[in-house]
Amino acid sequence: MAFMLSLLMALVLVSYGPEGSLGCYLSQRHMLDARENLRLLAQMNRLSPHSCLQDRKDFGLPQEMVEGDQLQKDQAISVLHEMLQQCFNLFHTERSSAVWNTTLLEQLHIGLQQQLEDLDACLGPVMGEKDSDLGRMGPILTVKKYFQGIHVFLKENEYSDCAWEIVRVEMIRALSSSTTLQKRLRKMGGDLNSP
């Protein structure tokens, strides 16, 4: 009986994640990383935003996607992951390395990578068999189109300092909005895999 109780206790402990909750859970560290990434983006400015007013553009941030009020849990996790992955890719190019302070840029890469790793633990169980269907879902395509517009803008403006400054400000806006989605996912509690 004592052996069975010990075995049961061990199984329960293994089932719990580092934050003490069953299933997928966005840790407090994930939220701190999100705030730190916003702080880093704010520190990266090199130009006065006023000097680039002529280059401003409305990229059509999909507010309903990044705030997630109408998304199911699996969609919300996928949208957040896509937002972070696209932002990571955007700032992880040779052209962005030439523009930004390399120390701040590297810290941003690390912070975004950490957030992506946190979400990978959630994304695996959520996606399961629906992997290919989830990639085609409207919310993910909307986020991809949003970032495609940003890439086109940079290319059309020949990756100028002002173009990057406009994009930096836009990423602050996008990631700030996505914190609403992250908070919603945290409030959903430990098991994000339930309907």
Side-chain angles (χ1 to χ4, degrees):
M1 179 69 170
F3 173 75
M4 291 300 282
L5 187 57
S6 297
L7 183 60
L8 182 60
M9 188 60 139
L11 285 172
V12 168
L13 290 175
V14 168
S15 297
Y16 276 82
E19 297 300 316
S21 185
L22 282 170
C24 170
Y25 184 75
L26 292 183
S27 67
Q28 183 63 31
R29 187 193 74 219
H30 182 89
M31 299 304 291
L32 292 172
D33 287 341
R35 275 185 246 144
E36 178 64 10
N37 290 338
L38 288 170
R39 187 188 66 77
L40 288 166
L41 278 168
Q43 283 185 324
M44 286 169 62
N45 78 326
R46 295 180 30 208
L47 303 170
S48 164
H50 299 295
S51 65
C52 298
L53 286 177
Q54 74 281 1
D55 295 317
R56 280 187 317 183
K57 176 172 172 81
D58 180 5
F59 294 102
L61 176 66
Q63 207 73 33
E64 69 282 355
M65 296 301 133
V66 294
E67 291 182 357
D69 290 340
Q70 299 167 5
L71 298 176
Q72 295 175 349
K73 292 177 191 178
D74 58 347
Q75 290 175 318
I77 292 168
S78 297
V79 164
L80 182 55
H81 189 275
E82 188 66 31
M83 286 285 295
L84 293 171
Q85 185 65 59
Q86 291 284 344
C87 186
F88 179 85
N89 293 346
L90 185 64
F91 285 102
H92 202 266
T93 64
E94 190 175 312
R95 291 183 191 270
S96 70
S97 297
V99 175
W100 306 112
N101 172 301
T102 55
T103 302
L104 293 174
L105 189 60
E106 184 59 33
Q107 290 173 346
L108 180 64
H109 293 159
I110 291 168
L112 289 168
Q113 185 63 44
Q114 185 60 56
Q115 282 190 282
L116 285 165
E117 287 173 11
D118 288 348
L119 283 173
D120 283 342
C122 299
L123 203 55
V126 166
M127 293 195 61
E129 297 172 4
K130 298 189 288 184
D131 189 9
S132 60
D133 292 339
L134 209 50
R136 289 187 219 114
M137 287 174 33
I140 301 300
L141 287 176
T142 301
V143 171
K144 286 181 179 184
K145 286 179 184 176
Y146 166 71
F147 276 93
Q148 183 180 19
I150 291 170
H151 286 284
V152 167
F153 170 78
L154 284 168
K155 187 174 181 177
E156 287 174 349
N157 287 279
E158 299 176 351
Y159 302 92
S160 70
D161 288 350
C162 266
W164 274 111
E165 178 60 18
I166 298 297
V167 168
R168 182 192 67 82
V169 171
E170 181 69 13
M171 286 302 93
I172 290 174
R173 185 171 158 241
L175 292 180
S176 292
S177 292
S178 75
T179 58
T180 304
L181 181 57
Q182 293 172 59
K183 288 175 186 173
R184 182 172 169 257
L185 287 171
R186 269 187 61 83
K187 284 181 184 176
M188 286 178 188
D191 192 0
L192 297 176
N193 301 323
S194 63

